[in-house]
Amino acid sequence: MSAQTYGKTLRLLSPGDFKQVFDKATFRAPHQHFMLLACSNGLEHPRLGLVISKKNVRHAVNRNRIKRQVREYFRLHQQELPAIDCIFLARRGLDQVDSPTLVKQLQAQFKRLSKKALRDNP
């Protein structure tokens, strides 16, 4: 698998995948504008799922921008992450955050999440 792709193997696709993370979320990285939930997946690579509702981010343009940014950050930094299933949950006010600030916040929260996951599952 190429290190710079974001194929189907790196995504949470089925409702069962999302339910497993929501039910067994052992790692959390909360932030004012979003939250990352994660659990070990038993695979050799991390996977990502996105939950960005209309209620929290009103306009489709902003939802799509946020999705693009989160997917791109994950794609570029997936080799640094442990084998976890991770869900990105948007909160209200995320659409007010500009792109460079969002990337910095993602970097900090994914780093926290990685430390927690590596500490609990070496």
Side-chain angles (χ1 to χ4, degrees):
M1 174 180 359
S2 174
Q4 297 298 318
T5 62
Y6 184 66
K8 283 193 174 189
T9 59
L10 297 175
R11 300 181 208 164
L12 295 177
L13 297 173
S14 69
D17 293 340
F18 280 88
K19 183 171 176 25
Q20 180 179 359
V21 177
F22 282 122
D23 291 346
K24 300 178 182 178
T26 53
F27 315 114
R28 297 173 188 260
H31 187 269
Q32 177 184 1
H33 299 296
F34 61 88
M35 180 170 26
L36 296 174
L37 299 174
C39 67
S40 297
N41 63 10
L43 302 173
E44 296 179 4
H45 55 82
R47 297 190 301 175
L48 177 69
L50 302 170
V51 179
I52 303 174
S53 68
K54 276 188 193 179
K55 181 179 179 181
N56 293 332
V57 181
R58 227 22 218 148
H59 300 287
V61 172
N62 292 329
R63 286 194 303 276
N64 292 334
R65 175 183 62 87
I66 292 164
K67 288 179 199 177
R68 250 191 333 271
Q69 299 237 287
V70 174
R71 284 191 301 250
E72 182 67 7
Y73 181 85
F74 183 80
R75 182 183 74 83
L76 293 174
H77 297 89
Q78 64 187 332
Q79 28 326 10
E80 301 166 13
L81 297 172
I84 56 172
D85 285 346
C86 181
I87 294 180
F88 175 90
L89 285 164
R91 291 183 173 167
R92 288 193 180 177
L94 183 59
D95 54 346
Q96 304 300 318
V97 177
D98 63 340
S99 297
T101 306
L102 178 60
V103 171
K104 288 179 186 174
Q105 292 171 351
L106 283 170
Q107 182 178 13
Q109 296 306 330
F110 270 111
K111 188 179 285 188
R112 276 183 68 195
L113 192 67
S114 293
K115 283 182 182 178
K116 287 180 182 180
L118 289 173
R119 183 182 60 218
D120 292 349
N121 294 328

